[in-house]
Amino acid sequence: MIDYPRYDRDGWRRWVPSWKLVSGLCIGFFGTMVAAAGIAYAMVSVPVIDDSATAQNNVYYWADGSRMVATGGERNRQSVSLSQIPKEMRNAIISQENKTFYTDSGIDPKGIARAVFNMAKGGDTQGGSTITQQYVKNAMLNDQSQTISRKVKEIFVSIKVGTEEPKDKILEGYLNSAYYGRGAYGIQAASRAYFNVDAVDLNAGQCAFLSAVLKGATYYDPAGSTSIDTAATPEANQKRAKNQMQDTLDKMVEYGHLSQADRAKYTELPKWKNPESNAQLGGQIGYLVRLAKSSVIKNDVVSEQQLEKGGYSIYTTFDKKKVDELEKAVQKVYKKNIDPKKRPDKDTHVQFGGASVNPETGAIEAIYGGEDATKHFTNNADVTGAQVGSTFKPYVLAAAMKWGVRDPDGAETQPQDERTVVSPKSLYSGKNNLKIKNYDGSIWQNEKGEQWRQENDGKDSVGEAPDYQIDLREAMRESVNSAFVQLGMDVGLDKVKESAVDSGLLENSLAGAGYPSFSIGVSDPSAIRMAGSYATFADSGKQRDPFSVTKVTNKDGTLFSHKVETKQAFTAKVADNVTDVLKTVVEEGTGTNAQLQGREVAGKTGTTDGNKSAWFVGYTPQLSTAISMFRYPDDETIKNRSFLEMYGTGGEEKIHGASFPSVIWQDYMEDALKGEKAERFPKPEPIGEVINDTPSPTPTPSPSVTEEKPSPSPTPSPSETEVTPSPTPTESCGPFDFKCDDGNNGGSDNGGNDAGGTGNSPSPSTSPSETGGEEDGGGFIRGPNG
């Protein structure tokens, strides 16, 4: 029956199939495919959208396995008939998503081909789809796996739905099942969640807005979703939502669904309300749940929509005792010292943030996100925009001991074997108003030829005249800006940045490394990342990313289990020497308030230009903790919010890292470590060479006003702060005036987001001029650092 090889042919012709054979095979193949498709079509059924509406709780557990809270099962969904859905809403969806909805077959062949192509490349199988396909996808929520079998099933179901169901019913089902964010499923729930009105009362602008949110609430909810992605700030989301909304309105006009006169009424985002809070998630619980939830989503364990459906057990790293103790320590300082009624212009909008990370694993054991997660939405343990000031200086020291300073006579980019590794005994100038030099000895100038002069806290020179030389241990102890700014230039700001990233900071949280002030903390990492970064030094250079979830399970078993990944960011010699220098800060420097009875402590204080934020970050061998303090309006209705000065806050002349942040740190750590055996840091091996050595012995710094000592004047002016003072008129502008910035010293995203444990909420946006300088005086315009 099959003449192959062909019996009546010789040579190569014997192996060429006849047209009858080719035709028969093609007919057979396509016939088989049609039969298979027919069988598949017959086997699938039209889904019932309400079958996917049942929701279960997600249960979150403490690190010890005890139950923290059950939440996520309160699905907000209410179906309404098509007659109760405004025609503007129907038209907005059709105009934006599927203009041929009423005439197509229910599937998008191009979108399907694109999905198959993506899958073939090993990417996401998602592709453009029709409203019918999206409706089917919502109905099949229990199976959201990105597999070819599921995609094929979805296609056949979509074809069947498109063939057997009226278009109006499909549109009604889609609008009633779509997820709009804020736990809202369906147009009625979304109308209430965003505008507190019934769906039938929505206007065209609100309808266009909700159609934009359907593209992904994480990036279009105007309240922001930084707990999931640090790029989803309120400002960024509002801009995206407005652009998408305007595009939808334009398309509605183009397709004849809206008059130009009506369209002209909606040029701005409609007035929306903030998300409602779940009473179960009050206090710190809400911050913990958000952090864990964002980690699960960012690790692609399940989608946000699947997580909202519930049924998951999420095991976290949070230690209930430590979380409670951290909250108590913050509240003790707040109740004792912060009095908005007594000092309304000084003590309003005062906020604290904090995080503790286990150096051996990277586990986030505690956070303090704010007063109450149902009242203060932003998680202060995550990215807030508050600059870190002089707590950044250890990264400069680490870079100097890892990479070494460059040869003044060599090329700008020098291999490590041509550099000189630095000893903590190396000498640098502690002179105030120091001219900062490039590594080759030339005076640093910006693109306009303007020089940089670095100020110290209180404009005091530290060290013995006339050279004011001071070794790096003393410079760290006294938090001397000029010494570390020059050291950063000698090492190379690119290496300082690399050191910070290697230690665990997210690159998108770092300012541009184009100006000398980079070394003294104009960047704004989160408290979580700062604690995790210092934990790298605590564990002799071993770096582990902070994380908040150990395991996720559901009825089918374990979906995710965290695996600790360790990188050797620094050699033990480098990390242990950094720790040894930071011990000096706590034993006899600016961080003495952080001393713990019977325990070795290493840490660093930080304060910023304009006194707009203050930090203390420190660690023992068992626990690394970061505490931040700043003033930032907690009212999202205020336009152009910015960080506020803290002169006079809490009755203090000025807030330093050595004041309230270190007090909170000490109080918390004393209780958090109670019952644990005191451990000692490794003894550091000698490292490096003494740079800039002189015949005279290491000078003893002369008494000076350090970053932690208040100025004699009752109300210090900004120029008297520990941060970056303005230069003399002949040398100002460029590096001293942010408006002259070339863009290389911008702040950071943040976010970061953080992820691993990160998580968190919208971060306040700050303009460069509002963030500044650094803890101990120095630098130029912006930034916490001191």
Side-chain angles (χ1 to χ4, degrees):
M1 294 178 64
I2 300 177
D3 182 22
Y4 191 84
R6 299 171 69 179
Y7 77 94
D8 58 345
R9 296 288 189 271
D10 296 321
W12 61 270
R13 292 181 180 83
R14 178 176 170 81
W15 301 97
V16 177
S18 67
W19 67 270
K20 292 180 181 180
L21 179 59
V22 172
S23 299
L25 289 174
C26 288
I27 292 171
F29 174 77
F30 286 111
T32 302
M33 292 296 292
V34 170
I39 293 171
Y41 181 87
M43 290 181 65
V44 299
S45 58
V46 175
V48 179
I49 197 69
D50 287 334
D51 289 347
S52 67
T54 57
Q56 305 173 58
N57 281 326
N58 292 318
V59 182
Y60 292 81
Y61 295 90
W62 293 104
D64 63 3
S66 61
R67 178 165 155 163
M68 179 195 302
V69 67
T71 184
E74 56 285 341
R75 172 172 289 202
N76 181 12
R77 181 168 179 264
Q78 180 182 354
S79 296
V80 292
S81 66
L82 194 64
S83 63
Q84 295 298 299
I85 301 174
K87 67 179 187 301
E88 289 87 354
M89 187 67 211
R90 297 176 243 166
N91 290 331
I93 292 296
I94 291 172
S95 298
Q96 186 60 252
E97 300 292 341
N98 186 189
K99 66 179 179 179
T100 62
F101 169 69
Y102 278 104
T103 58
D104 64 33
S105 63
I107 62 171
D108 175 14
K110 290 183 179 179
I112 294 171
R114 186 161 50 249
V116 172
F117 180 70
N118 289 339
M119 183 195 64
K121 294 192 303 180
D124 200 326
T125 60
Q126 293 177 343
S129 58
T130 65
I131 289 174
T132 303
Q133 286 177 270
Q134 293 179 57
Y135 165 73
V136 169
K137 186 176 180 180
N138 291 342
M140 295 170 64
L141 182 61
N142 286 327
D143 181 11
Q144 291 289 295
S145 58
Q146 293 299 318
T147 61
I148 190 168
S149 60
R150 179 209 166 267
K151 201 70 180 177
V152 170
K153 181 180 179 182
E154 181 185 306
I155 291 170
F156 279 108
V157 174
S158 298
I159 294 172
K160 194 161 193 173
V161 169
T163 302
E164 299 183 3
E165 297 292 321
K167 289 290 187 177
D168 281 351
K169 184 176 180 180
I170 295 172
L171 184 59
E172 176 187 300
Y174 172 62
L175 291 173
N176 276 318
S177 62
Y179 181 60
Y180 297 78
R182 301 189 178 186
Y185 286 82
I187 186 63
Q188 174 65 17
S191 300
R192 283 292 174 184
Y194 287 94
F195 307 118
N196 200 29
V197 301
D198 288 325
V200 71
D201 296 321
L202 292 170
N203 61 41
Q206 292 169 326
C207 290
F209 166 81
L210 289 176
S211 73
V213 173
L214 279 176
K215 285 194 167 293
T218 296
Y219 301 102
Y220 291 89
D221 185 337
S225 302
T226 52
S227 61
I228 296 176
D229 190 332
T230 54
T233 62
E235 295 77 11
N237 279 17
Q238 289 164 26
K239 182 178 180 180
R240 276 188 287 262
K242 180 181 176 181
N243 290 341
Q244 187 65 33
M245 169 189 164
Q246 296 303 310
D247 181 65
T248 298
L249 290 169
D250 289 340
K251 288 181 178 177
M252 291 172 70
V253 173
E254 179 183 349
Y255 302 143
H257 299 312
L258 188 68
S259 70
Q260 187 63 54
D262 286 338
R263 188 263 176 271
K265 298 176 184 178
Y266 309 108
T267 57
E268 299 294 333
L269 281 178
K271 186 177 181 180
W272 47 273
K273 69 171 189 174
N274 283 322
E276 294 181 354
S277 301
N278 184 336
Q280 295 184 84
L281 303 179
Q284 298 305 303
I285 297 297
Y287 301 119
L288 299 172
V289 167
R290 266 189 251 153
L291 194 60
K293 177 181 175 181
S294 67
S295 176
V296 169
I297 295 171
K298 282 190 270 191
N299 282 310
D300 293 325
V301 179
V302 295
S303 68
E304 183 179 7
Q305 191 172 357
Q306 288 175 286
L307 197 59
E308 287 292 342
K309 182 173 172 56
Y312 298 94
S313 294
I314 300 168
Y315 297 83
T316 75
T317 59
F318 308 129
D319 184 310
K320 187 177 188 304
K321 172 194 169 185
K322 290 185 174 70
V323 170
D324 290 342
E325 294 296 348
L326 182 53
E327 184 176 28
K328 287 178 185 177
V330 172
Q331 291 304 317
K332 186 185 297 184
V333 165
Y334 195 94
K335 291 176 181 178
K336 180 180 179 181
N337 300 281
I338 309 301
D339 191 342
K341 293 182 179 179
K342 182 178 179 180
R343 292 178 292 271
D345 59 335
K346 304 293 185 183
D347 286 13
T348 54
H349 309 305
V350 174
Q351 299 184 37
F352 296 93
S356 277
V357 171
N358 185 320
E360 291 186 2
T361 63
I364 304 170
E365 297 192 346
I367 64 168
Y368 179 82
E371 178 186 4
D372 189 318
T374 63
K375 300 175 182 177
H376 171 71
F377 187 69
T378 301
N379 183 349
N380 292 343
D382 207 353
V383 178
T384 62
Q387 295 179 339
V388 296
S390 287
T391 58
F392 202 81
K393 288 173 181 173
Y395 309 124
V396 184
L397 182 60
M401 293 193 293
K402 176 179 180 178
W403 289 96
V405 296
R406 293 173 286 188
D407 179 357
D409 298 322
E412 183 172 358
T413 303
Q414 297 167 12
Q416 193 162 8
D417 58 3
E418 294 181 12
R419 293 166 171 254
T420 303
V421 172
V422 172
S423 162
K425 297 179 181 179
S426 296
L427 302 177
Y428 271 81
S429 176
K431 185 178 181 181
N432 179 59
N433 207 29
L434 178 70
K435 283 188 177 181
I436 299 302
K437 300 178 180 180
N438 293 306
Y439 78 98
D440 61 4
S442 62
I443 302 299
W444 186 92
Q445 295 181 336
N446 68 2
E447 65 281 358
K448 296 182 179 180
E450 296 157 335
Q451 297 180 352
W452 184 289
R453 285 181 178 270
Q454 183 60 54
E455 277 191 6
N456 290 329
D457 181 26
K459 300 185 178 181
D460 289 297
S461 294
V462 182
E464 291 186 351
D467 296 329
Y468 296 101
Q469 282 193 318
I470 183 174
D471 69 31
L472 292 177
R473 182 182 298 275
E474 288 295 307
M476 187 73 79
R477 183 177 76 85
E478 294 292 330
S479 202
V480 180
N481 288 338
S482 56
F484 280 95
V485 170
Q486 186 58 62
L487 177 62
M489 297 300 292
D490 291 351
V491 174
L493 297 182
D494 59 329
K495 297 304 181 187
V496 174
K497 184 174 184 178
E498 183 177 329
S499 172
V501 173
D502 286 347
S503 72
L505 297 188
L506 297 177
E507 187 169 2
N508 63 9
S509 72
L510 301 180
Y515 285 84
S517 63
F518 178 74
S519 294
I520 46 179
V522 294
S523 300
D524 55 9
S526 67
I528 290 171
R529 283 286 167 173
M530 287 300 291
S533 173
Y534 272 46
T536 299
F537 298 123
D539 198 26
S540 296
K542 297 181 179 67
Q543 188 271 329
R544 304 171 183 91
D545 282 340
F547 69 100
S548 60
V549 175
T550 59
K551 183 173 66 173
V552 178
T553 65
N554 68 357
K555 61 183 178 59
D556 297 321
T558 300
L559 304 178
F560 168 79
S561 182
H562 179 79
K563 296 180 180 179
V564 176
E565 295 183 0
T566 303
K567 302 174 185 176
Q568 192 71 41
F570 308 103
T571 64
K573 181 185 288 190
V574 169
D576 293 344
N577 271 278
V578 171
T579 292
D580 193 57
V581 170
L582 294 182
K583 281 174 58 182
T584 307
V585 175
V586 177
E587 291 169 354
E588 52 188 35
T590 59
T592 53
N593 280 342
Q595 293 176 3
L596 299 176
Q597 186 173 4
R599 295 183 186 274
E600 290 190 333
V601 175
K604 185 71 186 75
T605 54
T607 313
T608 64
D609 190 21
N611 203 204
K612 293 178 180 177
S613 62
W615 290 71
F616 184 79
V617 187
Y619 54 92
T620 67
Q622 297 119 307
L623 195 63
S624 176
T625 299
I627 302 294
S628 66
M629 178 180 178
F630 53 92
R631 290 181 65 208
Y632 190 84
D634 198 22
D635 185 350
E636 294 182 356
T637 63
I638 300 176
K639 293 184 177 181
N640 301 319
R641 289 181 294 166
S642 62
F643 285 92
L644 306 174
E645 293 180 345
M646 293 191 291
Y647 297 112
T649 296
E652 298 287 322
E653 183 176 345
K654 177 182 178 181
I655 299 299
H656 301 86
S659 56
F660 298 140
S662 65
V663 170
I664 292 171
W665 190 96
Q666 192 277 341
D667 188 11
Y668 159 67
M669 291 288 282
E670 198 74 72
D671 292 327
L673 295 172
K674 189 174 294 183
E676 293 189 34
K677 181 181 177 180
E679 296 183 8
R680 301 183 67 83
F681 291 116
K683 184 177 180 180
E685 298 179 26
I687 191 171
E689 298 180 23
V690 179
I691 306 299
N692 303 325
D693 195 10
T694 60
S696 60
T698 300
T700 302
S702 58
S704 64
V705 180
T706 70
E707 70 172 284
E708 317 305 341
K709 300 176 183 177
S711 166
S713 59
T715 307
S717 63
S719 62
E720 296 170 331
T721 71
E722 61 194 319
V723 279
T724 302
S726 302
T728 58
T730 58
E731 296 170 332
S732 61
C733 184
F736 304 96
D737 182 353
F738 204 90
K739 294 180 180 179
C740 298
D741 179 27
D742 66 354
N744 291 328
N745 56 329
S748 74
D749 166 318
N750 359 237
N753 288 268
D754 262 330
T758 168
N760 138 13
S761 57
S763 52
S765 62
T766 58
S767 64
S769 60
E770 294 165 348
T771 50
E774 65 173 54
E775 138 179 49
D776 344 86
F780 70 106
I781 51 176
R782 56 170 260 159
N785 36 101

